[in-house]
Amino acid sequence: MPLRPAARFGPIVPARPKLGFPARFRPNLPTRFRPRLPARSRLGLPALLCGGIAAFPACAPAHQEACALIFSTNDMHGRLLPAEQSWSDGRPVGGSAALAAYVARERAATPECPLFVVSGGDIMQGTPISNFTDGRSTIEAMNGIGYDAVSIGNHEFDWGVDILVERVADADFAMLSANIYLKDTGRHPEWVRPWTIIEREGVRVGFVGATTTSTPVVARPSLVADFDFRPISDALDRYIPEVRAAGADFVVAVMHEGAFCVIGAEEDAGGAACEGPALDALAATAKRFDYAVTGHTHSRVEAEVRGVPVIQSYANTTAYGLGRIDRSAEGAVSARHLGIRQVWADEIAPDPDVERLVASYRAEIAALVDRVIVDLPEALSAPRDGDFPLGRIVADAQRRASGAEVALMNNGGIRRSLPAGPVTFADLFELQPFNNMLVRHTMTGAQLLRTLEHSVRDGAVDLHASGITVRYDPAAPYGERIRDVTFDDGSPLRPEGRYLVAANDFIATGGGGYTTFAEAERIEPLDVADLEALVAYLQAQPDPFPIPRAPRWIESPRSVRSATIMLP
């Protein structure tokens, strides 16, 4: 698909009213992103006469009062449809049609301030309705909602750069990242824009984007090998002055980088209840910004960095953040949080245009995704880390499909919990949406041990295991945390032994920092996807479904062990 090179500098874009949806295939970048003349070319005669003599009273800088509302989401992950959540008491939450209605409500509630809609990234990957179109349905829904700017998230790369470039072309909004560079150069890829300015009702808001610097580890390494993801603070410092020079009234950092806050803790003036790389990057930024939207950690963040609000609103369209930026007649700029608000799909009439669009895509996949695969006797949760039954089931499915002695499954690839009762193909797709393929390795025991050590590098367990039970001491020095490993038949792991180990191709190719797989004596890619393995495994189990309750990672402090397996 031909694509016009992105402008070196982000354009000033006059916002247009919502005019319905674009065609599903558009070969070029949207007209609204064509650059206008630089701000200096539009200066009037008074500005030219007063250049350099601002001390003269007639030429003193004048300011006009202005305000802007920032409506923000993050980590949509293709969640175009409302869904019940474990905490929602049976009420439907989220969905793009409800979100569009909340945008309209907030815009109408404060007509004196133009409203701008932004996202902290990871917008497309995660549901059948989005993935089966390579994200096109999500982009169209976001066009209908009226997004203005989106930071590029690590999951935007999941289908390869060619697909990402197509989605950038489909979007009526700017997809931004100021810290993605072509490897070992000072140049951005031509499809990446560092920033843009959106003008609405005479107010110009500049948005500078950024992408998590962990992308080479949390994305499949081969998909991002051509790029450097440089420090976010350096990127913001480089481009914030350009945005202000181009005439922005306010500057907003829109970042796919995250943080966590202790919910319910009282923040002091420095935001001590919150921490994370997003806040570290903003604190290291020397240039002034007026508001910041983050993402990536799927958490609630209401923090401040040097008095500037920073916000993140959970994930999956379940909530949105709202903030306000003001400029006084004297030129003083201030900003504040207006809160993080739930998207209750039964509380508001859905936007009819967005609802029709989503319904049309949903109808195309209904027969496939509504199939019931298994009936679970109880709900199975998916915590962020640790060893839990749902992860054991996924690992068991991969060991069975691969014929390996051991299977290892990264917790980050388990994307949702499962409800009690009938579980559909759609539920399982959202559990494992990445279409990772299985790989079988012939590894030495020492290589397997190093892989298990990497799993507990931060103290918490990052891999689920099938075929083995691992005893570990999270407080021991790295390299000595694995106390012993026992196979299901009771035999111990031998460092000099040879074992068949299955894993998905994300960690098998170095994702998550799991580089030891590449050292295997033999590597066999299998023509089996992780979801395919899971569906087959679940369908083969007896009724009622047997829940694997016995832990496979057992904390075993050094004081209660007489021996340790030492890594060579």
Side-chain angles (χ1 to χ4, degrees):
M1 168 179 299
L3 188 66
R4 288 194 294 273
R8 169 66 177 81
F9 303 111
I12 297 175
V13 182
R16 66 181 186 184
K18 181 177 171 183
L19 297 175
F21 296 104
R24 291 191 179 179
F25 299 91
R26 297 206 313 278
N28 297 307
L29 286 173
T31 302
R32 66 182 292 192
F33 289 147
R34 293 175 184 164
R36 287 170 54 182
L37 292 174
R40 64 177 179 270
S41 300
R42 301 192 301 276
L43 294 176
L45 181 60
L48 294 173
L49 292 176
C50 290
I53 52 172
F56 189 71
C59 295
H63 297 283
Q64 184 176 2
E65 291 185 1
C67 62
L69 295 177
I70 307 299
F71 184 110
S72 62
T73 62
N74 54 273
D75 301 278
M76 179 181 285
H77 285 292
R79 194 60 57 107
L80 306 186
L81 293 162
E84 295 179 9
Q85 302 293 330
S86 60
W87 44 263
S88 67
D89 295 325
R91 295 180 64 185
V93 183
S96 52
L99 196 64
Y102 278 99
V103 168
R105 174 189 283 186
E106 297 292 3
R107 181 171 280 129
T110 313
E112 69 274 18
C113 294
L115 182 142
F116 300 81
V117 186
V118 300
S119 167
D122 272 5
I123 56 177
M124 297 178 286
Q125 168 67 271
T127 64
I129 197 171
S130 181
N131 287 34
F132 288 179
T133 65
D134 290 337
R136 183 178 292 109
S137 57
T138 295
I139 297 297
E140 290 189 17
M142 294 178 72
N143 286 343
I145 292 169
Y147 276 83
D148 295 302
V150 172
S151 61
I152 294 173
N154 54 283
H155 281 297
E156 264 67 85
F157 292 93
D158 281 357
W159 303 313
V161 172
D162 289 346
I163 295 296
L164 176 54
V165 170
E166 290 181 12
R167 297 295 83 81
V168 169
D170 288 337
D172 282 351
F173 47 86
M175 294 183 68
L176 305 173
S177 184
N179 68 319
I180 299 177
Y181 289 82
L182 293 171
K183 180 73 74 175
D184 300 325
T185 75
R187 295 180 291 111
H188 299 291
E190 63 178 19
W191 48 269
V192 168
R193 295 151 150 287
W195 58 268
T196 192
I197 294 178
I198 305 296
E199 181 178 347
R200 181 166 289 120
E201 299 173 25
V203 177
R204 299 187 218 179
V205 179
F207 299 98
V208 184
T211 304
T212 175
T213 56
S214 67
T215 298
V217 176
V218 298
R220 187 174 298 175
S222 62
L223 297 178
V224 295
D226 293 335
F227 310 111
D228 288 326
F229 296 82
R230 297 183 183 172
I232 291 174
S233 58
D234 292 349
L236 295 177
D237 280 340
R238 175 180 178 180
Y239 287 111
I240 287 173
E242 292 186 5
V243 176
R244 293 202 185 279
D249 295 299
F250 308 119
V251 176
V252 176
V254 184
M255 308 162 53
H256 190 71
E257 184 61 282
F260 292 98
C261 293
V262 179
I263 304 302
E266 183 177 352
E267 296 183 11
D268 64 19
C274 302
E275 61 180 8
L279 301 181
D280 295 341
L282 291 169
T285 300
K287 303 301 181 182
R288 181 175 64 86
F289 55 94
D290 302 309
Y291 194 82
V293 174
T294 70
H296 190 52
T297 48
H298 295 205
S299 57
R300 177 181 184 134
V301 175
E302 288 182 278
E304 290 188 355
V305 173
R306 298 195 300 271
V308 176
V310 182
I311 198 163
Q312 183 179 162
S313 309
Y314 299 112
N316 299 321
T317 70
T318 60
Y320 64 91
L322 196 67
R324 175 168 171 154
I325 314 173
D326 287 272
R327 185 181 64 210
S328 70
E330 292 74 33
V333 173
S334 62
R336 64 187 189 273
H337 297 111
L338 297 180
I340 293 174
R341 304 177 181 183
Q342 216 75 63
V343 179
W344 295 110
D346 61 356
E347 179 188 75
I348 195 166
D351 179 283
D353 291 336
V354 178
E355 187 177 44
R356 279 192 294 271
L357 173 76
V358 173
S360 69
Y361 276 112
R362 179 67 176 79
E364 294 177 8
I365 63 173
L368 173 63
V369 302
D370 290 343
R371 294 179 295 140
V372 174
I373 302 301
V374 68
D375 197 291
L376 291 178
E378 62 186 66
L380 298 174
S381 63
R384 182 172 293 273
D385 52 36
D387 173 41
F388 47 89
L390 181 54
R392 296 173 204 143
I393 291 169
V394 173
D396 287 346
Q398 295 184 7
R399 182 161 70 104
R400 180 178 182 270
S402 65
E405 298 164 90
V406 177
L408 300 174
M409 174 63 199
N410 58 307
N411 287 7
I414 302 171
R415 305 298 291 186
R416 60 161 288 175
S417 301
L418 292 179
V423 173
T424 66
F425 182 86
D427 296 325
L428 298 176
F429 189 99
E430 292 174 11
L431 175 75
Q432 291 193 280
F434 303 126
N435 195 37
N436 289 327
M437 304 301 288
L438 301 188
V439 182
R440 187 169 57 208
H441 308 78
T442 301
M443 303 180 75
T444 66
Q447 290 167 343
L448 178 54
L449 281 171
R450 287 203 297 274
T451 303
L452 298 175
E453 276 283 342
H454 185 72
S455 175
V456 290
R457 61 196 178 278
D458 297 322
V461 174
D462 182 51
L463 287 178
H464 274 86
S466 177
I468 54 175
T469 298
V470 184
R471 294 182 182 273
Y472 71 105
D473 180 0
Y478 180 73
E480 301 177 17
R481 290 179 179 170
I482 303 303
R483 311 300 291 163
D484 63 51
V485 180
T486 306
F487 287 86
D488 286 356
D489 64 4
S491 62
L493 181 143
R494 296 177 295 107
E496 70 279 6
R498 300 292 186 274
Y499 304 98
L500 292 178
V501 181
N504 64 56
D505 60 357
F506 170 70
I507 59 174
T509 57
Y514 287 95
T515 57
T516 310
F517 288 107
E519 302 172 12
E521 294 179 359
R522 185 179 182 188
I523 300 175
E524 302 172 84
L526 305 177
D527 191 23
V528 181
D530 53 4
L531 179 58
E532 179 185 359
L534 180 60
V535 169
Y537 179 78
L538 295 175
Q539 290 178 327
Q541 298 307 301
D543 188 21
F545 184 87
I547 305 296
R549 303 188 188 280
R552 298 172 184 173
W553 287 81
I554 301 171
E555 283 197 33
S556 181
R558 184 187 302 262
S559 60
V560 300
R561 298 299 305 165
S562 59
T564 300
I565 300 177
M566 300 296 292
L567 292 178

